[in-house]
Amino acid sequence: MPYEQLDAMWLKESVHHVVDPELTLRGLADRLAPGGRLLVVMPPATIQYPLFKAALARFEELQPDPAVIERHLRAAGLEASLSYVEHELRIGRDKYLGMVRSRYMSLLSTFSDSEIEKGIEEIRVAHPEPVLVFPDRFAFVLGRRREESA
């Protein structure tokens, strides 16, 4: 390994792909130098995207709760904090439906082509407006290794 310790690490929208988040985060925390930081950026446990009902339900099944990630960082010996940032997205409906069809988020890869097409029709009915406006919210879970005392 090129570095014994790291000053900073960043995981963005990836922790939900990890089989054992507690073990993985503990391993990463162990690589932090004194004062080092580990930032996990992730969606919250629920989202308000204009997706079809089955996709939103599957998201909630697969997405870890940021509060659990914060607890994992504390259990790994880090000082940890959790905060959220939200901003408004505006996307043309046709463009967004094309993004869904292209499976713009990994969650959508768990659906077959026919399920995606059925979902797109559900979105069309629920959202006839030409521009979709919805909140995009992210959790920032920051862990910090304490400085070693002299």
Side-chain angles (χ1 to χ4, degrees):
M1 185 158 218
Y3 301 101
E4 288 297 316
Q5 295 184 319
L6 299 170
D7 294 324
M9 287 182 252
W10 177 39
L11 281 72
K12 183 176 184 297
E13 296 182 84
S14 57
V15 74
H16 62 281
H17 292 289
V18 174
V19 174
D20 187 341
E22 183 175 17
L23 181 64
T24 300
L25 292 170
R26 180 179 300 282
L28 292 173
D30 288 347
R31 305 297 303 172
L32 287 175
R37 298 164 321 272
L38 170 58
L39 177 63
V40 179
V41 181
M42 60 189 291
T46 60
I47 55 174
Q48 296 175 18
Y49 293 8
L51 290 170
F52 49 102
K53 289 178 185 166
L56 291 170
R58 189 158 302 159
F59 177 89
E60 290 184 11
E61 290 171 18
L62 300 175
Q63 182 65 28
D65 186 329
V68 171
I69 301 303
E70 180 186 22
R71 285 196 298 273
H72 290 333
L73 294 181
R74 286 179 200 266
L78 303 181
E79 297 171 346
S81 64
L82 170 60
S83 61
Y84 291 90
V85 172
E86 183 175 308
H87 60 276
E88 182 180 89
L89 290 180
R90 293 177 172 269
I91 302 175
R93 184 180 78 150
D94 292 342
K95 179 178 181 176
Y96 184 75
L97 294 177
M99 290 167 55
V100 171
R101 185 172 283 115
S102 298
R103 294 172 172 86
Y104 80 97
M105 48 190 310
S106 60
L107 160 81
L108 296 172
S109 68
T110 66
F111 292 95
S112 69
D113 288 347
S114 63
E115 290 170 321
I116 289 288
E117 290 307 316
K118 183 179 175 191
I120 285 172
E121 190 52 37
E122 183 183 316
I123 295 168
R124 276 188 210 282
V125 170
H127 298 281
E129 62 273 19
V131 176
L132 303 177
V133 180
F134 56 97
D136 197 14
R137 191 167 193 235
F138 282 92
F140 290 78
V141 188
L142 178 61
R144 183 179 194 96
R145 168 91 42 225
R146 289 178 185 87
E147 297 281 347
E148 292 179 359
S149 51

